[in-house]
Amino acid sequence: MDLFDGLKDKIGGQDKTIVFPEGQDPRILGAAIRLAKDGLVKPIILGHEADIEKTAADNNLDASGVLLIDPETYPEDKKKDMLDALAERRAGKNTREQLADWLKDVNYFGTMLVYMDQADGMVSGAVHPTGDTVRPALQIIKTKPGVKRISGAFVMQKGDERYVFADCAINIELDAAGMAEVAIESAHTAKVFDIDPKVAMLSFSTKGSAKGDMVTKVQEATKLANEQAPDLALDGELQFDAAFVPTVGAAKAPGSKVAGHANVFVFPELQSGNIGYKIAQRFGGFEAIGPILQGLNKPVSDLSRGCNEEDVYKVAIITAAQSVK
């Protein structure tokens, strides 16, 4: 089954609601209309109603099947409830006037809809930079209990092959605890995509074949992750060939349940992760799906500003699938 066919089955009949703060963009509006027509999610589009209607008219789109919300004309009683909830969440870190200004920003407004359970997830970033999408999520939705950071994973797909690479998008440097945390969250992401996770903690060393602080970090991360998730198939430190190729894994890490069979690859820092996924994408012909933000209490997805309508459509499906318990 195609990856997205599987995700569509997962979210079918779930009535998941996804909020799109950038409703005036034709890519966003077109994708939202398709999602509603296909019965996959219930889209909420944010923006000035006149601007959205103009975008629809200019692009021959029928937006009658999606819910449009203009934050400026949002009912005063609902706006007060939202401001009260935000003030409580920020616990005195900002004045009420500052928070009222925040809610004039569509990304903050959309994030509050998710926080208040009026939407199951949010997709933004077609117009706004990554920080404008991620910052409200970290300030309001925050990370899961016990999770200190978000990370960015890519699902790499070609034919029947499907793998998870992380962190390839967010954390420039990871210490051992951070790498362990990314590993466990990446295993959760793998399960969303019906991948039975076998996690490799990557290094330029396999089982002590090289020495150095970078190797020690991966060894410590492996130990921490195994302690925190003892039922998870996870091993390290492993070179990529030892993690991926059965004969090499058997030779370099005999007895490992992961070596030679890994499908979730955790990189020791962002530089190698970003390079690695792009090599697989450009040399290997894999489709890179993501970045998928991991570690948040509720799913928020960040689009590339170079995305097209199909990208928006797929990311929304992923976001809805992340919200399925």
Side-chain angles (χ1 to χ4, degrees), residues 2-216:
D2 175 79
L3 184 151
F4 283 95
D5 288 339
L7 293 180
K8 288 175 183 179
D9 286 347
K10 190 184 294 282
I11 66 176
Q14 296 279 338
D15 291 329
K16 293 297 182 180
T17 300
I18 302 297
V19 58
F20 298 86
E22 301 163 323
Q24 78 286 354
D25 189 286
R27 298 167 294 176
I28 298 293
L29 190 57
I33 290 168
R34 282 178 58 196
L35 290 159
K37 183 179 179 181
D38 293 346
L40 294 171
V41 302
K42 295 180 177 179
I44 299 175
I45 295 292
L46 302 184
H48 298 303
E49 189 170 344
D51 292 342
I52 296 170
E53 289 175 350
K54 184 178 186 305
T55 297
D58 290 347
N59 292 275
N60 297 312
L61 298 171
D62 178 8
S64 59
V66 301
L67 175 61
L68 308 181
I69 294 179
D70 184 342
E72 289 189 8
T73 61
Y74 201 54
E76 288 301 321
D77 58 335
K78 292 185 177 181
K79 194 177 292 186
K80 181 181 180 301
D81 289 343
M82 184 177 284
L83 182 56
D84 289 344
L86 181 55
E88 181 180 1
R89 186 59 163 168
R90 293 299 293 165
K93 294 178 182 177
N94 305 89
T95 67
R96 197 170 177 87
E97 290 73 20
Q98 287 173 325
L99 297 177
D101 283 340
W102 281 16
L103 292 178
K104 295 175 183 177
D105 182 302
V106 288
N107 281 308
Y108 277 99
F109 190 96
T111 301
M112 282 303 297
L113 290 179
V114 178
Y115 174 67
M116 297 175 72
D117 294 324
Q118 294 174 35
D120 296 292
M122 185 176 88
V123 174
S124 189
V127 177
H128 297 89
T130 294
D132 289 359
T133 300
V134 173
R135 190 179 306 107
L138 288 175
Q139 290 173 322
I140 299 168
I141 293 173
K142 302 187 180 180
T143 54
K144 298 175 185 176
V147 176
K148 294 182 179 179
R149 63 190 55 74
I150 63 169
S151 55
F154 282 85
V155 174
M156 310 300 294
Q157 177 178 257
K158 183 171 72 171
D160 293 333
E161 295 181 80
R162 200 176 297 173
Y163 309 103
V164 175
F165 284 17
D167 179 359
C168 302
I170 301 294
N171 298 285
I172 294 175
E173 294 288 347
L174 288 168
D175 59 12
M179 190 176 178
E181 192 173 271
V182 169
I184 294 168
E185 288 303 307
S186 298
H188 294 323
T189 296
K191 291 176 182 178
V192 172
F193 293 89
D194 295 323
I195 300 170
D196 182 18
K198 296 178 178 61
V199 183
M201 309 292 273
L202 295 180
S203 174
F204 61 86
S205 169
T206 296
K207 298 297 183 179
S209 65
K211 305 295 182 184
D213 291 344
M214 289 183 287
V215 175
T216 301

